[in-house]
């Protein structure tokens, strides 16, 4: 049953087995942009944790779906909007009763940003997170990662501020091409 | 004026409420820096710190409301309680004053909050453990930010050194309250739900001493015996004025169904 979005190739993550209907919803969500970093889809960002089809739409009746979503940061002001966008997209796909289940455990990590998402970030001008998230007790003063300039690829960059225009980013500048840029912090 | 929440009533709720109120009140203090930060970058940093803390407060207040079991929402608890029903430490309600005082407070508090959350990751209250595990990632940025600024100001000019030293000297009397373990907190700790605040003091002192030394600052001396008795609803005068601003809209334009923000 793929008539929900037959033109979309399934973008369901390999580690999330599910039914054909669920695969179709994953494909729909792969087209929903993150409102703060629209170069990324919500799937690239890793905030969609699970898709459950309770009952598929049939014979003109709307379907019922539940989507598990996790926030990036506890106070991310986009969380409400992201939930509304998910609801709208899945409702448009025929699931007139779509509910969002917020999950906070395990806590979101930048490790969940897909490889494709990292490449999209770079093209968009945001340096993707370097390495993987620290596990266990974080050092008070960690070794600063080498952040590559998304414009000229120089490694000769410096942090301007730990905090940027959104909770998930820090401000950097490139000492080679002189351009300021944002870095997607590794958490 | 009596407290709605007597200390002996539902200590599990009171404990989570205390965690939430610390985050909410300090988040509000950070919000007061918006448009007034010393530089544009710090203005943005202030809004990020405020958002993180208010986000944590929201999750903790939702959990507290569940534990309370009286049908309140997180917004009800944030916007419809009066000062004597807040359970935050006196430290976080103190005015921002200047950047030196604000930074000193953030160092003292974020090191404390990190120790507290780190211990609570193992709480037998699974929902609380999930919340603090998430918040810990944010607080590790906060304490690094505060430590770097403490060192920058301490090692900077004579003026910047004096201003941040003044911050630590002014706020030091609020430190003992952070490590006060009231008897019901000890009972909760024995049950694996809470962490006894007193057990955090050694690790905190070691870290704060290390950073102050590196920053060419002195650890304030003298007797600091200020206990807040916040559990009985006592606060400094500053909490009331803070709440005037925090709760103004909700109180001026009340809705029939309680707070909605
Ligand atoms: Zn460059």
């Amino acid at each position: 049953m793929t008539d929900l979005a037959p033109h979309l190739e399934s973008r369901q993550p390999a580690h999330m087995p599910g039914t054909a209907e669920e695969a179709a919803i994953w494909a729909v969500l792969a087209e929903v942009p993150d409102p703060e970093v629209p170069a990324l889809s919500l799937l690239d960002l890793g905030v969609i944790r699970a898709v459950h089809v309770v009952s598929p739409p049939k014979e003109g009746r709307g379907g019922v779906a539940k989507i598990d979503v996790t926030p990036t940061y506890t106070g991310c002001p986009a969380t409400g909007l992201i939930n509304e966008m998910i609801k709208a997209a899945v409702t448009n796909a025929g699931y007139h009763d779509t509910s969002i289940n917020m999950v906070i455990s395990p806590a979101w990590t930048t490790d969940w940003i897909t490889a494709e998402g990292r490449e999209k970030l770079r093209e968009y001008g945001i340096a993707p997170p370097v390495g993987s998230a620290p596990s266990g007790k974080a050092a008070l003063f960690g070794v600063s990662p080498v952040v590559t300039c998304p414009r000229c690829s120089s490694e000769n960059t410096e942090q301007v501020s730990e905090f940027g225009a959104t909770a998930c980013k820090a401000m950097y500048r490139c000492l080679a091409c002189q351009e300021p840029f944002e870095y997607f912090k590794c958490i | 004026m009596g407290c709605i929440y007597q200390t002996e009533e539902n200590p599990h709720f009171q404990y989570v409420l205390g965690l939430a109120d610390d985050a909410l009140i300090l988040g509000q203090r950070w919000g007061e820096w918006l448009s007034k930060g010393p530089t544009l970058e710090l203005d943005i940093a202030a809004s990020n710190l405020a958002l993180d803390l208010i986000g944590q407060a929201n999750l903790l207040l939702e959990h507290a409301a569940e534990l309370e079991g009286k049908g309140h929402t997180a917004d009800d608890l944030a916007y419809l309680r009066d000062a004597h029903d807040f359970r935050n430490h006196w430290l976080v309600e103190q005015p921002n004053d200047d950047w030196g005082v604000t930074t000193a407070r953030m160092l003292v508090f974020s090191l404390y909050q990190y120790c507290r959350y780190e211990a609570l990751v193992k709480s037998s209250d699974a929902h609380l453990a999930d919340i603090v595990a998430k918040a810990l990632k944010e607080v590790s940025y906060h304490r690094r930010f505060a430590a770097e600024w403490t060192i920058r100001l301490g090692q900077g000019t004579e003026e910047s050194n004096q201003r941040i030293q003044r911050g630590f000297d002014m706020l030091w009397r609020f430190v003992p309250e952070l490590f006060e373990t009231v008897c019901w907190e000890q009972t909760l700790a024995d049950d694996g739900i809470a962490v006894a605040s007193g057990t955090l003091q050694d690790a905190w002192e070691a870290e704060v001493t290390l950073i102050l030394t590196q920053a060419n600052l002195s650890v304030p001396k003298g007797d600091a015996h200020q206990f807040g008795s916040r559990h009985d609803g006592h606060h400094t005068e500053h909490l009331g004025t803070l709440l005037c601003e925090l709760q103004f809209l909700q109180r001026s334009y009340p809705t029939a169904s309680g707070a909605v923000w």
Side-chain angles (χ1 to χ4, degrees):
Chain A
M1 151 101 197
T2 52
D3 58 314
L4 298 169
H7 60 292
L8 294 172
E9 170 200 356
S10 170
R11 298 278 298 284
Q12 178 179 18
H15 63 279
M16 293 298 304
T19 63
E21 289 92 352
E22 285 163 356
I25 291 179
W26 281 105
V28 166
L29 295 174
E31 304 298 315
V32 181
D34 170 20
E36 285 187 341
V37 187
L40 287 186
S41 76
L42 295 180
L43 231 63
D44 293 324
L45 191 60
V47 294
I48 314 279
R49 303 314 299 156
V51 168
H52 312 279
V53 168
V54 179
S55 65
K58 65 174 173 213
E59 292 155 16
R61 275 190 301 115
V64 181
K66 283 193 170 62
I67 317 291
D68 289 358
V69 182
T70 196
T72 52
Y73 284 70
T74 57
C76 178
T79 303
L81 180 58
I82 285 176
N83 291 348
E84 290 308 313
M85 291 168 79
I86 292 170
K87 263 187 166 170
V90 179
T91 302
N92 275 340
Y95 291 85
H96 298 170
D97 181 357
T98 298
S99 56
I100 305 287
N101 176 36
M102 288 305 283
V103 290
I104 57 165
S105 180
W108 180 81
T109 158
T110 40
D111 295 353
W112 294 347
I113 299 179
T114 60
E116 197 184 334
R118 285 161 199 262
E119 199 41 52
K120 287 182 192 168
L121 278 175
R122 200 190 321 276
E123 284 168 16
Y124 190 65
I126 298 172
V130 174
S132 51
S135 59
K137 187 174 167 66
L140 180 53
F141 297 109
V143 182
S144 298
V146 177
V147 176
T148 306
C149 172
R151 297 178 200 281
C152 76
S153 301
S154 169
E155 291 185 351
N156 188 13
T157 61
E158 66 175 12
Q159 181 179 281
V160 177
S161 176
E162 189 100 77
F163 298 94
T166 62
C168 52
K169 288 174 288 181
M171 290 188 270
Y172 271 70
R173 84 177 132 231
C174 176
L175 299 173
C177 74
Q178 308 297 328
E179 283 291 326
F181 65 91
E182 291 182 303
Y183 167 59
F184 210 105
K185 285 188 282 197
C186 198
I187 72 161
Chain B
M1 292 207 295
C3 298
I4 300 169
Y5 303 120
Q6 302 303 317
T7 43
E8 63 273 20
E9 181 192 329
N10 199 344
H12 190 173
F13 158 66
Q14 302 256 355
Y15 182 75
V16 175
L17 192 64
L19 295 170
D21 286 347
D22 274 346
L24 179 67
I25 300 302
L26 188 57
Q28 177 73 7
R29 283 287 182 224
W30 272 112
E32 291 171 10
W33 273 108
L34 300 199
S35 81
K36 290 184 256 180
T39 66
L40 183 59
E41 287 79 8
L42 292 177
D43 211 86
I44 292 167
S47 66
N48 275 274
L49 295 166
L51 270 177
D52 283 352
L53 288 163
I54 290 169
Q56 293 167 21
N58 188 37
L59 292 175
L60 289 163
L61 284 173
E62 279 175 0
H63 186 39
E66 282 168 15
L67 292 168
E68 187 191 18
K70 293 184 180 170
H72 288 142
T73 64
D75 283 344
D76 291 338
L77 291 178
Y79 293 112
L80 300 176
R81 274 181 302 154
D82 213 338
H84 44 255
D85 286 310
F86 273 75
R87 292 293 175 262
N88 59 281
H89 290 93
W90 287 19
L91 175 72
V92 295
E93 70 197 36
Q94 300 310 306
N96 286 333
D97 200 285
D98 65 5
W99 190 254
V101 175
T102 297
T103 303
R105 188 237 308 271
M106 196 56 175
L107 185 75
V108 168
F109 189 76
S110 58
L111 289 176
Y112 171 70
Q113 200 184 28
Y114 189 91
C115 292
R116 198 152 62 144
Y117 284 177
E118 193 186 31
L120 288 173
V121 166
K122 297 184 277 286
S123 171
S124 59
D125 174 347
H127 191 183
L128 178 61
D130 286 348
I131 294 170
V132 297
K134 178 147 191 70
L136 201 53
K137 288 170 176 259
E138 298 166 1
V139 178
S140 65
Y141 270 98
H142 299 181
R143 65 179 191 151
R144 188 158 82 210
F145 173 83
E148 284 175 355
W149 270 96
T150 299
I151 292 166
R152 185 182 301 198
L153 295 175
Q155 292 182 352
T157 63
E158 197 178 324
E159 170 83 11
S160 70
N161 179 286
Q162 281 171 7
R163 300 265 290 258
I164 187 151
Q165 183 68 58
R166 173 176 162 267
F168 286 105
D169 292 347
M170 270 173 64
L171 298 172
W172 210 250
R173 65 198 171 106
F174 299 111
V175 168
E177 192 197 11
L178 300 176
F179 302 106
E180 179 189 24
T181 306
V182 291
C183 54
W184 56 260
E185 184 181 287
Q186 186 61 55
T187 309
L188 286 176
D190 293 341
D191 293 342
I193 294 169
V195 53
S197 301
T199 61
L200 306 172
Q201 189 157 10
D202 289 348
W204 178 88
E205 261 174 20
E207 284 189 328
V208 94
T209 305
L210 198 74
I211 294 161
L212 290 191
T213 307
Q214 197 183 336
N216 302 330
L217 297 166
S218 49
V219 178
K221 296 230 181 337
D223 283 341
H225 290 305
Q226 185 79 55
F227 285 92
S229 57
R230 67 189 185 285
H231 304 297
D232 299 320
H234 299 298
H235 285 279
T236 59
E237 64 184 310
H238 308 295
L239 181 62
T241 48
L242 179 148
L243 292 178
C244 283
E245 194 164 294
L246 174 69
Q247 300 179 334
F248 168 77
L249 271 180
Q250 178 57 41
R251 291 196 185 273
S252 298
Y253 302 95
T255 48
S257 56
V260 274
W261 287 101

